[in-house]
Amino acid sequence: MKEIKNYAVQMYGGPAGSEKGVRAKIFLFDSTNVTAGILSFYDPGHTIPKDKRVGVSIRMAMYATELHGMVDILRNEAPIYLLWQESEKRGILSTSQEPVGEGEL
């Protein structure tokens, strides 16, 4: 499990996005500025590939409709962790437990 300290968003224009329907990517960086993960967001109608682990990086895929919510989580929540669930072969982006009604400053 790695704590995510920084992120960068790339949006791709044109009819096909950047590659095979990828409309946007979010790059997730750990405390040493190493790429801990890449989240790829696909246009509706495209087949989403399975999550995978590539070296020390986790690659996750989802539809572009999830992009806004994901950016909101990254902007407003802390700490955020990225982990690989080996039994299910999937990446997980997670917050830690927070008190109910805490509110954000």
Side-chain angles (χ1 to χ4, degrees), residues 4-5 12 29 49 54 60 78 85 90 92 95 100 103-104:
I4 302 305
K5 292 294 190 176
Y12 305 106
F29 303 96
V54 179
M60 296 170 61
Q85 187 178 41
R90 68 177 167 201
I92 299 171
T95 64
V100 173
E104 302 294 334

Side-chain angles (χ1 to χ4, degrees), residues 21-86:
V22 175
R23 186 56 51 195
K25 288 185 180 182
I26 298 177
F27 296 85
L28 305 171
F29 303 96
D30 66 14
S31 61
T32 63
N33 212 32
V34 169
T35 303
I38 301 172
L39 312 179
S40 297
F41 297 84
Y42 288 78
D43 285 333
H46 286 271
T47 301
I48 294 179
K50 293 179 179 181
D51 293 350
K52 62 184 175 180
R53 194 171 200 172
V54 179
V56 298
S57 183
I58 296 170
R59 311 290 169 93
M60 296 170 61
M62 54 198 75
Y63 285 112
T65 54
E66 303 298 325
L67 178 63
H68 177 77
M70 189 61 69
V71 170
D72 186 57
I73 289 169
L74 291 167
R75 288 180 63 203
N76 295 305
E77 298 295 334
I80 300 239
Y81 300 98
L82 182 63
L83 59 117
W84 179 253
Q85 187 178 41
E86 184 62 32

